[in-house]
Every structure is written in structure tokens, then in C-alpha cells.
């Protein structure tokens, strides 16, 4: 899909926001939702999305909403680093299919990285639900504490 076009309200992240599709939720407030990626590139791969803005990409969001998205992204990055103790952490965001975007609702990736592991751009495997649920519980507890 091109960089320019119309927002599709049936995209999977819009469905998650409306509660029509499930997610392993880590954090939610009036503006932002964060949840675990179902096809993680690494253990702890988290997505952070704006809830109230129908923006397909970074070009379409207002600066105030973007600032809020980034503030929550930083907060979640700190939680992931504190809990999982990775060697590095990627915070990434793609705009348009040629740039690697596959879901056309703006989202930030937070990907904990361990030294020596491959930096895969797209993971092939769906995560084990039990592992995701366990990780969700750990991170939600850390976020609350
Ligand atoms: P991008 O390639 O930047 O558009 O990233 C989209 C991300 O959404 C990928 O990492 C997918 O694994 C992830 N993803 C797709 N569907 C779901 C879903 N239902 N729940 C959680 N993550 C998803």
C-alpha cells in the first residue's frame, strides 16, 4: 500500500482498539494502547498505537498525539528493559509497504535485542499463546510497580 491513501477502519489494529479483535494488552489510556506483537521479531516485541487518530502513518498524525504516543513508547521501553534486561532495544516505525509497513494504522515497534541474535525485519512464526500470556503478566506487573 502506498504512502498516500485512505485509512481503512477495518484494519486489524482498529479492530483491536474497538475490542473486536483480541490482544495481549500491556497498557491503555484514553489516547494510546500497547500490546505484544503476535509474530515477534524477538522476545518482548511490543507495539504502541494511537487510539483516537485515524492515521495510517507518521505523516497523518498531529504533533500533540504523536508526542503522547512517543511518551508512552518511552515508558514501555523502560519497562521492557527493566524487566527483560536486553543488551539493546530497537524503537522503530515504518511508513508505506515499500518501507516495510504491513498494518496501515500508525504503530511504534519496541523490540528488545540480545547480543548475537539476528536482526530479523519480519518474523515468520506466531508466538506461543502461553508464552505471550506469561510475558504479559510479568510486564503488566512491572508497569504497575
Ligand atoms: P509493520 O510491518 O510495521 O506494519 O508491523 C506490523 C506488526 O503487527 C508486525 O510486527 C506483525 O507481527 C504485527 N501484528 C499483525 N497482526 C497482529 C495482531 N493481531 N496482534 C498483534 N500484532 C500483530
Amino acid at each position: 500500500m502506498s504512502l498516500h491513501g485512505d485509512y481503512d477502519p477495518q484494519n486489524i489494529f482498529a479492530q483491536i482498539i474497538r475490542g473486536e479483535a483480541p490482544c495481549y494488552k500491556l497498557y491503555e489510556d484514553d489516547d494510546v494502547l500497547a500490546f505484544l506483537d503476535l509474530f515477534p521479531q524477538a522476545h518482548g516485541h511490543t507495539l504502541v498505537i494511537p487510539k483516537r487518530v485515524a492515521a495510517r502513518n507518521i505523516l497523518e498524525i498531529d504533533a500533540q498525539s504523536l508526542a503522547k504516543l512517543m511518551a508512552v513508547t518511552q515508558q514501555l521501553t523502560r519497562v521492557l528493559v527493566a524487566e527483560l534486561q536486553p543488551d539493546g532495544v530497537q524503537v522503530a516505525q515504518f511508513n508505506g509497504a515499500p518501507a516495510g509497513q504491513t498494518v496501515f494504522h500508525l504503530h511504534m515497534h519496541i523490540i528488545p535485542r540480545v547480543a548475537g541474535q539476528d536482526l530479523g525485519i519480519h518474523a515468520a512464526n506466531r508466538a506461543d499463546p502461553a508464552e505471550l500470556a506469561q510475558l504479559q503478566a510479568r510486564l503488566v506487573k512491572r508497569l504497575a510497580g
Side-chain angles (χ1 to χ4, degrees), residues 12-13 16 21-23 35-41 45 47 93-94 100-105 107 109 121-123 126:
I12 185 64
F13 292 173
I16 289 173
C23 74
F35 51 92
L36 294 172
D37 197 296
L38 273 191
F39 303 87
Q41 292 175 38
H45 185 166
L47 300 171
Q93 188 273 318
F94 308 127
Q101 187 174 14
T102 59
V103 177
F104 297 91
H105 178 107
H107 51 280
H109 294 261
I121 296 296
H122 284 113
R126 193 180 178 110

Side-chain angles (χ1 to χ4, degrees), residues 42-90:
H43 188 60
H45 185 166
T46 294
L47 300 171
V48 191
I49 67 175
K51 283 169 59 181
R52 299 210 282 198
V53 186
R56 298 188 317 148
N57 55 53
I58 200 166
L59 303 174
E60 298 177 355
I61 190 170
D62 62 281
Q64 192 180 352
S65 300
L66 180 61
K68 175 68 188 286
L69 181 70
M70 290 307 297
V72 174
T73 299
Q74 183 191 43
Q75 184 186 6
L76 265 294
T77 302
R78 286 178 169 151
V79 166
L80 285 160
V81 167
E83 184 63 28
L84 302 179
Q85 305 277 308
D87 300 309
V89 60
Q90 266 181 333

